[in-house]
Amino acid sequence: MGMCKPLCLGHVDIRKSLVGLATGAGAIYLLYKAIKAGLNCRPPVCSGSPICIARECPGPGERALPQEAPAPKPSSVGGTKGLAIEREQHGRDSGEIRRLLNSLECKHDEYTKSIILHSITCCVYLLEAEASACTADDISLVGSMLDDKDNSVKIQALNALKALSGIRKFRLKIQEHSIKVLELISTIWDSELHVAGLRLLNNLPLPDFVHPQLRRVMPALMEILQSDYILAQVQAIRLLSCLAQKNDLLYDILNCQVHSNFLNLLQCTQPGSLLFELLVFAERLSEGRNSPHYCAVRWHYSERSLHEALFGEDSRLADRLLALVIHPEEDVQIQACKVIVSLQCPPDVEVQPSACQPSHSFFNNGE
């Protein structure tokens, strides 16, 4: 009996060791199976990604067929060439923009359309060669999304057109949508839509046939300028600064109605980017109203006009400018000085004294 006990204990220890080894081997085998299954796993055929939507949606006259995502091809220099941008860098057409444009022709809900348009915008910026291969019909297709009932679709369509306008050959075609863009800006009060639409317009040379529509939307542009959304304000003032250089639009801008506290926009507490754009605008307006062409006509302005707010007898523009001369940002300082200089009637203007009558001199001689 005394010798049996150690023997039994020995058998127990051996069994425990065998069980442990079997358990460890089983765990390793299960881990191997899990890793192998993960490596062999493929993404589902249908997903919510815009690329997947584009691949599933057939082109005109085609039939939709389930497709598997192709495995990335190994590169001779290491890594893969699976990404569209990498394929373009190697001179290959990924086809992503074409698939997205084809998918845009299908019937989708508003959310899906906005996602597809956003993806088109990204692809245009990343895949320049493929974007250049687009056609006028593609521009018209994207432009047709401006008539969608959903504002988010309109915004993404504006962003896509803005991206495409960076390609010179598309600008004339995109110009055809200028009147529609101006209509959207003036009839829908949405800050993001204002920013997207104004960015597009600021990236285009606006043709003369748009000027009548610009006159009609001038009050809306001035309201956006006086809003509290900095991005929209900056884009609006950039457009107005450009229009101020058009002889046939200068009076419409100067006679546009503004709020009584308009000059609060020129307070030192405003962001430097906005102050700089406002001062550029003021300089161009001052130069325009002092030009021989403009001085040749005796203009009449309404009491609440932009002209009276900036250049009228009761204007406090001089006080604002003097405060901005010591602004912390050098660009603002320099531009404020430029406005001060432009406020004086240029000495080389050869017109009759009665024809050019500035409201008054803001600064005394020697000041």
Side-chain angles (χ1 to χ4, degrees), residues 115-135:
I115 289 295
I116 294 173
L117 286 166
H118 176 71
S119 299
I120 290 174
T121 302
C122 296
C123 286
V124 169
Y125 286 124
L126 294 173
L127 309 175
E128 184 178 353
E130 290 185 35
S132 299
C134 292
T135 65

Side-chain angles (χ1 to χ4, degrees), residues 158 161-162 165-166 171 174-175 178 181-182 185 194-206 214 221 224 230-245 277 284:
L158 290 168
L161 289 173
K162 163 64 169 58
S165 69
R171 289 183 181 177
I174 296 175
Q175 277 182 1
S178 299
V181 175
L182 288 169
I185 291 173
H194 292 162
V195 172
L198 290 167
R199 277 178 174 165
L200 172 59
L201 294 176
N202 284 326
N203 207 48
L204 292 173
L206 294 179
L214 284 167
L221 292 176
I224 296 172
I230 299 296
L231 293 178
Q233 288 177 287
V234 169
Q235 293 300 322
I237 200 66
R238 285 178 181 172
L239 179 58
L240 287 168
S241 292
C242 179
L243 300 180
Q245 296 175 298
E277 297 293 346
R284 290 180 179 176

Side-chain angles (χ1 to χ4, degrees), residues 184-327:
L184 294 176
I185 291 173
S186 60
T187 58
I188 301 175
W189 193 258
D190 184 296
S191 297
E192 292 186 10
L193 187 143
H194 292 162
V195 172
L198 290 167
R199 277 178 174 165
L200 172 59
L201 294 176
N202 284 326
N203 207 48
L204 292 173
L206 294 179
D208 291 343
F209 69 79
V210 183
H211 286 194
Q213 181 69 7
L214 284 167
R215 290 189 181 92
R216 287 191 288 269
V217 305
M218 206 70 73
L221 292 176
M222 206 61 69
E223 283 297 325
I224 296 172
L225 170 59
Q226 297 171 95
S227 66
D228 294 327
Y229 194 63
I230 299 296
L231 293 178
Q233 288 177 287
V234 169
Q235 293 300 322
I237 200 66
R238 285 178 181 172
L239 179 58
L240 287 168
S241 292
C242 179
L243 300 180
Q245 296 175 298
K246 309 289 185 180
N247 290 330
D248 59 329
L249 294 176
L250 181 57
Y251 174 74
D252 297 277
I253 297 175
L254 285 170
N255 199 40
C256 199
Q257 302 293 291
V258 296
H259 301 168
S260 58
N261 61 346
F262 178 82
L263 287 181
N264 286 348
L265 292 172
L266 288 172
Q267 288 181 337
C268 292
T269 54
Q270 296 283 5
S273 58
L274 178 60
L275 286 173
F276 177 79
E277 297 293 346
L278 282 165
L279 291 169
V280 171
F281 181 45
E283 181 189 13
R284 290 180 179 176
L285 290 176
S286 179
E287 291 176 347
R289 65 189 281 271
N290 287 329
S291 66
H293 179 273
Y294 197 80
C295 288
V297 179
R298 189 181 299 275
W299 304 98
H300 298 280
Y301 305 98
S302 63
E303 184 180 353
R304 299 289 295 275
S305 67
L306 176 63
H307 179 276
E308 294 304 301
L310 292 176
F311 312 115
E313 293 289 341
D314 298 326
S315 175
R316 305 299 298 174
L317 178 61
D319 296 335
R320 303 294 187 193
L321 293 174
L322 290 174
L324 293 177
V325 167
I326 57 173
H327 191 272

Side-chain angles (χ1 to χ4, degrees), residues 134-141 170 173:
C134 292
T135 65
D137 290 337
D138 297 328
I139 304 299
S140 298
L141 174 62
F170 294 142
K173 186 64 179 178

Side-chain angles (χ1 to χ4, degrees), residues 33 56 102 163 166 212 351:
K33 292 285 286 183
E56 291 168 6
N102 288 341
V351 294

Side-chain angles (χ1 to χ4, degrees), residues 322-343:
L322 290 174
L324 293 177
V325 167
I326 57 173
H327 191 272
E329 298 186 27
E330 185 178 1
D331 289 344
V332 175
Q333 295 177 16
I334 295 173
Q335 194 57 43
C337 292
K338 288 182 178 180
V339 178
I340 293 173
V341 172
S342 70
L343 287 174

